[in-house]
Amino acid sequence: GDPGKALTALLAAASRKNWTAIRAVLGPEALKMFDKDYNTPAENAASASDMLKVWIPTQKTKIAGGILRGDVAVLDVEGEMFPGMTGLSRVQMVKVGMAWKFERSARAGSLP
């Protein structure tokens, strides 16, 4: 659905280190964390890309499910965390106006 499409857009922007596109998909709390006024846009993009790689699988990624409660969606994201190791992350997306935005994520564990 739309939260998953927004997350996919964020991951694509992060892989290109495109700060404008990354910033467009960050929710209010995430924006506070990633948008540092003392960094250049390129530095903010690189930092966001690196952090997202720690929290969310970036290889062989798929959204395996999730829950939607009003303006908050929690997505179960599976993928390769390291070569040969599949992991699960939980990603919280929030609806801001008409758009879904990334708010936070955490690794939930390894999968067989």
Side-chain angles (χ1 to χ4, degrees):
D2 290 336
K5 290 175 186 175
L7 176 60
T8 300
L10 173 64
L11 295 177
S15 73
R16 294 187 317 271
K17 296 185 180 176
N18 179 329
W19 179 240
T20 301
I22 293 169
R23 196 173 193 283
V25 191
L26 295 179
E29 292 303 313
L31 194 56
K32 290 178 193 174
M33 183 174 23
F34 290 122
D35 192 7
K36 302 299 182 193
D37 59 3
Y38 51 82
N39 282 343
T40 66
E43 290 170 331
N44 279 334
S47 175
S49 178
D50 290 345
M51 290 305 298
L52 290 168
K53 286 178 189 174
V54 170
W55 296 332
I56 304 170
T58 56
Q59 301 295 315
K60 301 178 185 174
T61 303
K62 73 175 183 174
I63 299 171
I67 56 172
L68 176 64
R69 291 198 177 125
D71 290 345
V72 177
V74 178
L75 306 176
D76 295 328
V77 181
E78 296 178 2
E80 192 173 79
M81 301 299 266
F82 306 102
M85 181 182 162
T86 302
L88 172 69
S89 292
R90 306 292 308 267
V91 179
Q92 181 178 335
M93 304 293 289
V94 296
K95 194 169 188 181
V96 179
M98 297 301 292
W100 285 94
K101 310 258 182 177
F102 171 86
E103 197 64 18
R104 63 182 52 92
S105 179
R107 285 192 185 180
S110 299
L111 297 173

